Amino acid sequence: MKNNSRRNFLQTMGVATLALPFVPTAYGKEKNVLPDVPYDGPVLRVAIMGLGSYGTRVAEAMRSCKKAKLVGVISGTPSKIEDWQKKYDIPKKNCYNYDNFDKIKNNPDIDAVYIITPNGLHHPQCLRVAKAGKHVISEKPMGLNAKEGQEMVDACKKAGVHLLVGYRMHFEPKTLEIIRMRKAGDFGKVLFFQGLSGFRIGDPTQWRLNKALSGGGAMMDIGIYSVNGARYMIGEEPLWVTAQEVKTDHEKFKAGIDETIMFQFGFPGGATASCLSTYSMNNLDKFFLNGTNGFAEMQPSTGYGPIKAHTNKGELDFPHETHQTFQMEEMSEIILNGKQPIVPVNGEEGVKDLKIIDAIYEAVKTGRKVDLV
Ligand code: NAD
């Protein structure tokens, strides 16, 4: 089965429980944010584009959503459309293919399109969805480079629609609790972050190893979690980047497809980050943050969970919630009610990561430190 190793990586801790979403309070205890009562507020009506592995995961997670609903599909495979119609009760009028989805413009029953196709397709598909006047949620990485990302931001702005990036960790309770603790000064002055992100990739013919569709290798796919994590864990934007590449399998990882990259950042407050992105090691998923007074450690830190986290003050033991359920509930609030998330998930946030990734690739190529400001 394709991408099996990735699924295993992301699923390290087994099937998620479908409890109600929780958020941490200032005391580190969980608080139920979606009381188990009927919801009659606005609902974000979503069409998923790309009915692959992750699209399926999002669709299943959305079954538990109250504020977002899967109402449409866009796919190039008629048999998949039929399956999904049956499984999720999707009317024929909300089904599109890659040739005709511009017609979604005339469909008043769809508010947003969630693009879950290979990376190289996000940019052109986003521009078309924006032109059709629908809100866009794009999977990560939002585009192949910062230029594409910025064009997506500009197109959505011009069309007057939201552009969000599928950064599910930005809603994850333990992640948010560590961010709260860092802001409260619990770790003292933050001076170091380590991010390790990797899995062993399988099938050499898959799109993730095809430069045109992936935009690169492990960095674009999984390394982006450490790039993004360094920023939200430290709470600053890096000033500079250095990076080194190691390739052990030139057959599988052809030119332009990175297997392993080590990268380092320097931050304005004096913190440094040391990270690793790889397609050659399984069960590599760890964040570590250290300040003058204490630390936070997460392992796994970005898989599908449950996330495990502890600090020098002890274990964080919030109940697990399916990340994508929580993400779509919150994205509905952002799009329909203008809610401001604690960690942004908008297009601009995605562009920041892509600028850094562009710089990492440049640092690998030149062997030099690359300034980001
Ligand atoms: P996948 O290969 O399982 O699914 C991709 C889908 O796109 C398939 O249904 C495929 O048919 C369709 N597709 C349309 N045009 C295609 C083309 N020209 N070539 C290949 N496939 C084409 O991949 P996936 O794992 O679902 O990843 C899709 C996106 O989701 C990627 O951008 C990936 O980075 C992202 N993703 C995000 C997370 C997360 O946790 N946020 C997890 C996994 C994947």
Side-chain angles (χ1 to χ4, degrees):
M1 226 194 307
K2 271 190 182 181
N3 305 336
N4 217 3
S5 48
R6 180 186 168 83
R7 259 198 296 274
N8 290 343
F9 158 78
L10 289 164
Q11 260 179 325
T12 38
M13 306 303 280
V15 178
T17 53
L18 285 179
L20 289 168
F22 291 87
V23 288
T25 68
Y27 305 101
K29 294 285 176 204
E30 59 279 358
K31 183 179 118 198
N32 194 336
V33 285
L34 280 181
D36 196 12
V37 292
Y39 171 78
D40 61 1
V43 172
L44 185 73
R45 299 162 304 170
V46 178
I48 290 185
M49 180 184 297
L51 313 182
S53 160
Y54 196 64
T56 302
R57 182 173 290 275
V58 171
E60 284 301 304
M62 285 184 72
R63 286 186 190 276
S64 308
C65 284
K66 291 179 174 174
K67 299 176 181 174
K69 186 171 166 31
L70 173 63
V71 299
V73 288
I74 298 138
S75 167
T77 315
S79 60
K80 275 197 209 167
I81 294 184
E82 251 177 63
D83 282 355
W84 280 53
Q85 275 192 267
K86 281 187 208 131
K87 238 165 121 185
Y88 303 107
D89 196 18
I90 294 170
K92 182 116 196 74
K93 68 173 189 61
N94 289 358
C95 299
Y96 299 87
N97 60 41
Y98 293 110
D99 295 325
N100 70 12
F101 75 78
D102 309 272
K103 289 191 185 148
I104 211 164
K105 184 184 176 137
N106 307 317
N107 190 330
D109 299 328
I110 294 173
D111 303 310
V113 174
Y114 194 161
I115 300 174
I116 317 185
T117 52
N119 308 342
L121 305 177
H122 298 172
H123 170 268
Q125 289 168 343
C126 167
L127 300 198
R128 283 173 66 187
V129 172
K131 209 167 168 200
K134 303 297 178 184
H135 301 297
V136 181
I137 304 170
S138 167
E139 251 322 309
K140 43 58 56 178
M142 67 188 291
L144 297 186
N145 49 51
K147 181 175 175 287
E148 280 197 5
Q150 190 57 51
E151 285 169 5
M152 293 162 74
V153 168
D154 295 343
C156 289
K157 207 165 268 173
K158 189 172 163 207
V161 296
H162 281 269
L163 169 59
L164 306 182
V165 183
Y167 288 132
R168 62 189 157 76
M169 300 316 295
H170 293 200
F171 306 106
E172 197 280 316
K174 289 173 189 166
T175 304
L176 293 179
E177 172 61 2
I178 290 171
I179 291 170
R180 186 200 65 74
M181 290 177 76
R182 186 251 301 149
K183 285 181 180 167
D186 290 11
F187 309 125
K189 184 175 163 58
V190 169
L191 288 175
F192 181 69
F193 171 78
Q194 182 187 41
L196 307 175
S197 303
F199 68 97
R200 205 167 149 72
I201 198 155
D203 180 7
T205 65
Q206 66 184 286
W207 68 260
R208 283 185 164 83
L209 298 173
N210 170 334
K211 170 91 172 157
L213 287 172
S214 62
M219 179 57 62
M220 296 299 282
D221 191 26
I222 196 79
I224 191 169
Y225 285 99
S226 276
V227 171
N228 189 243
R231 294 177 47 242
Y232 64 66
M233 294 286 276
I234 290 180
E236 295 177 12
E237 296 304 324
L239 296 174
W240 55 258
V241 172
T242 49
Q244 310 79 34
E245 181 174 10
V246 174
K247 203 175 268 197
T248 64
D249 186 341
H250 290 264
E251 188 51 42
K252 192 170 195 176
F253 306 107
K254 303 224 158 42
I257 301 291
D258 49 285
E259 176 185 349
T260 300
I261 294 181
M262 285 82 63
F263 53 101
Q264 304 80 32
F265 302 141
F267 291 86
T272 53
S274 174
C275 305
L276 187 138
S277 151
T278 185
Y279 264 159
S280 288
M281 287 178 252
N282 271 343
N283 296 304
L284 186 67
D285 180 15
K286 181 176 169 178
F287 282 1
F288 182 77
L289 185 75
N290 218 131
T292 49
N293 294 341
F295 73 87
E297 185 171 41
M298 307 176 77
Q299 187 177 22
S301 57
T302 65
Y304 295 141
I307 300 302
K308 280 192 171 177
H310 66 280
T311 74
N312 53 295
K313 293 185 172 176
E315 181 104 16
L316 302 186
D317 62 354
F318 310 134
H320 174 66
E321 167 59 38
T322 303
H323 294 173
Q324 297 81 6
T325 305
F326 214 169
Q327 172 198 328
M328 294 311 292
E329 290 291 88
E330 291 293 293
M331 286 190 165
S332 169
E333 285 277 358
I334 293 168
I335 292 175
L336 299 179
N337 295 330
K339 183 172 175 180
Q340 295 294 321
I342 294 167
V343 186
V345 288
N346 54 22
E348 287 84 349
E349 174 79 5
V351 174
K352 285 180 186 170
D353 285 334
L354 286 175
K355 273 189 183 153
I356 296 169
I357 291 176
D358 287 351
I360 289 171
Y361 283 133
E362 194 189 330
V364 164
K365 208 162 100 191
T366 61
R368 294 218 185 91
K369 180 171 165 181
V370 176
D371 288 328
L372 287 160
V373 285

